[in-house]
Amino acid sequence: MTIFPSLKIPNTLAAGPGPGNTDPRVLEAFASAGVADHMQLDVLRGMVEAKQMLREVFGTKNVYTYGIAGTGWSGLDSLQSAILPGDKVVAFNNGTFSGIDCLTIRMKASTPDDLAANPMNPQPANVIVVNVPHGQSVTGEMVDQALAEHKPMWAFMAHWETGSGRINDIKGFNDACAKHGAMGLVDAVSSLGVSDFNIDDYPAIVGWASCPQKGVLALPLTYAPVSFRDEYIDVVRKRGCYNYVNHPILNARHWGIIDGKDVPTPSYHQTHSGYAVASFHEALRILLMHGRAQKAADYAFHEKVLRTAVEEMGCEVTSNMTSLVVLNLPGALAGKEKELVGNCRARGFAIWPTLSEPVQVRIGILNQLNEEAITDIVGRFADAMIEMGADVDKDAILANVKSAFTPRLKNSA
Ligand SMILES: *Cc1c(COP(=O)(O)O)cnc(C)c1O
């Protein structure tokens, strides 16, 4: 038998698409929570308060708004479990994550025969996947056209596709769902807590799922926020679903949501960790104290500074998300993306390549919303480019970063 030395994990600069660097206050809340079981009154109160704060974060009056224990895919599993074998679905794929969403949907909508024919990658005829090339956004016209042609029960799209860094047209998606009588489902893993939007402005989208570790910044494995409209809950209430733990109606009981109403006394669904509840609660407080609108503006500003700096290094940015830049290296370095990313990661500068073709570089700024952090990221990326032979004037680029953060003197009237 081998007993290994205790595991030490270094602190890196998590400058990828997510997870983002967890706020010390979130870690402090995790580590300072007492030992308490999942029916202890303060743990339950924390869940009820977190549920109420999540309604603010989502911009919704949906009663069925709460957290699914786990990561983004856990919340998406809950969201997509309303899809039953044989249901007709139109789903849009424009990158790594919406591609996996489409796989999940194909699994959920498969009959036993569909699964037996291709167990790991079923292809039920009732799921129509619309493939949009990497680097492009899903537009309202694309959704309108596909829904007009196929008239599905469900339509699915990722709000922000993190694989390629592209923002998809959520209003166009909503409007097409309303026009063609489809129930919309959305992966909001990368947009919630970064962008400023109210899901209640998109009433044809009946279900949303996000994650703990991107915009919400509560990595110590907490909760994937979900929110369901009554139209969605009614379908699950009538038809049921093949899911216990992430069941959209049953899971809500532990958050004090029973029979469509907030109730003062939650009831047992699964074990919840007081540590997770305390840290998730703190992350939501931090987000709301920063303010959704202010946070979105801060992301837009810092992304622009980073984008400008990498463009000055000769890179071509193809993304339009505000938490991430996805770029092509200058011609002379084309084909060396993985080597460059590998060099950076070996030094604790944890940027990412794309996970599906074509190979690009992704640099994220989750929880890096200050001059020091952006300067550090730009400096380290410049060093990595220079090391590989790129012609980069690091001092000039850093001077431009500095001036972007220097408040301009306004002419007094
Ligand atoms: C990160 C991500 C996921 C997967 O989330 P996990 O937390 O890894 O389970 C799904 N969809 C999108 C759009 C993402 O960015």
Side-chain angles (χ1 to χ4, degrees):
M1 184 179 75
T2 308
I3 299 180
F4 295 96
S6 73
L7 178 66
K8 298 277 187 282
I9 295 178
N11 206 14
T12 66
L13 173 53
N21 283 354
T22 309
D23 193 292
R25 274 169 57 190
V26 173
L27 296 174
E28 166 73 21
F30 189 88
S32 61
V35 180
D37 68 39
H38 52 283
M39 298 311 285
Q40 192 272 344
L41 288 181
D42 296 295
V43 174
L44 293 178
R45 178 170 58 84
M47 293 178 72
V48 167
E49 289 175 0
K51 160 184 86 176
Q52 289 167 359
M53 287 192 278
L54 260 185
R55 290 179 187 150
E56 285 293 319
V57 170
F58 268 119
T60 186
K61 296 199 164 57
N62 290 342
V63 176
Y64 279 87
T65 302
Y66 58 96
I68 296 284
T71 70
W73 295 127
S74 311
L76 285 155
D77 174 64
S78 179
L79 173 75
Q80 289 159 344
S81 62
I83 299 171
L84 296 187
D87 282 0
K88 191 165 192 184
V89 190
V90 169
F92 295 85
N93 167 23
N94 69 320
T96 312
F97 293 99
S98 48
I100 298 174
D101 282 311
C102 290
L103 170 62
T104 312
I105 289 169
R106 287 188 279 108
M107 289 168 164
K108 304 256 187 212
S110 280
T111 62
D113 285 346
D114 293 324
L115 279 179
N118 196 341
M120 301 305 143
N121 191 17
Q123 308 285 343
N126 44 303
V127 177
I128 297 102
V129 172
V130 179
N131 291 306
V132 176
H134 178 99
Q136 292 183 24
S137 295
V138 179
T139 65
E141 298 80 72
M142 291 176 193
V143 182
D144 183 56
Q145 224 173 49
L147 300 194
E149 183 182 344
H150 300 289
K151 297 274 178 209
M153 173 177 182
W154 304 102
F156 170 85
M157 186 181 80
H159 187 190
W160 288 17
E161 168 49 71
T162 326
S164 52
R166 297 298 303 184
I167 296 178
N168 294 327
D169 180 0
I170 199 74
K171 183 170 189 308
F173 179 78
N174 172 78
D175 295 353
C177 287
K179 182 172 160 194
H180 300 291
M183 284 185 285
L185 303 175
V186 163
D187 172 341
V189 164
S190 245
S191 55
L192 191 76
V194 176
S195 177
D196 184 24
F197 62 103
N198 292 321
I199 65 171
D200 282 358
D201 290 341
Y202 307 106
I205 302 171
V206 299
W208 301 74
S210 189
C211 84
Q213 80 280 14
K214 288 176 180 156
V216 174
L217 289 161
L219 179 62
L221 197 57
T222 63
Y223 294 100
V226 291
S227 187
F228 305 113
R229 287 179 67 87
D230 291 347
E231 294 88 334
Y232 175 103
I233 292 296
D234 288 345
V235 171
V236 177
R237 189 168 281 128
K238 280 197 196 89
R239 306 198 306 173
C241 69
Y242 298 100
N243 204 332
Y244 169 77
V245 68
N246 297 333
H247 193 294
I249 295 175
L250 297 181
N251 194 299
R253 296 176 298 180
H254 215 126
W255 299 82
I257 302 165
I258 298 175
D259 289 335
K261 287 192 223 34
D262 285 321
V263 297
T265 347
S267 71
Y268 172 75
H269 180 72
Q270 72 185 123
T271 299
H272 287 269
S273 148
Y275 312 115
V277 170
S279 55
F280 186 56
H281 188 277
E282 190 62 17
L284 296 174
R285 278 167 34 79
I286 292 172
L287 170 49
L288 292 174
M289 283 155 82
H290 191 159
R292 268 182 13 184
Q294 184 61 49
K295 201 175 172 208
D298 288 347
Y299 272 112
F301 172 78
H302 291 83
E303 187 269 351
K304 189 156 171 264
V305 177
L306 175 59
R307 164 189 296 262
T308 304
V310 298
E311 284 173 350
E312 286 167 358
M313 296 179 209
C315 300
E316 180 202 10
V317 176
T318 61
S319 54
N320 63 356
M321 279 172 50
T322 56
S323 54
L324 181 68
V325 298
V326 181
L327 58 89
N328 295 320
L329 293 177
L333 295 186
K336 296 193 170 161
E337 294 80 7
K338 286 194 169 151
E339 190 183 339
L340 182 137
V341 168
N343 291 344
C344 291
R345 292 183 66 86
R347 293 183 192 124
F349 176 39
I351 62 173
W352 284 68
T354 46
L355 298 179
S356 42
E357 293 297 313
V359 182
Q360 295 183 285
V361 176
R362 295 186 294 163
I363 310 175
I365 57 168
L366 289 173
N367 218 14
Q368 306 291 338
L369 301 178
N370 59 71
E371 177 174 356
E372 197 190 343
I374 298 294
T375 304
D376 189 24
I377 290 172
V378 169
R380 292 200 205 202
F381 191 67
D383 288 341
M385 299 262 300
I386 290 164
E387 184 191 28
M388 297 200 47
D391 179 20
V392 166
D393 186 345
K394 182 180 168 188
D395 290 341
I397 289 166
L398 285 179
N400 289 343
V401 169
K402 190 169 175 51
S403 80
F405 281 99
T406 309
R408 302 243 157 85
L409 292 173
K410 295 226 174 75
N411 293 329
S412 47

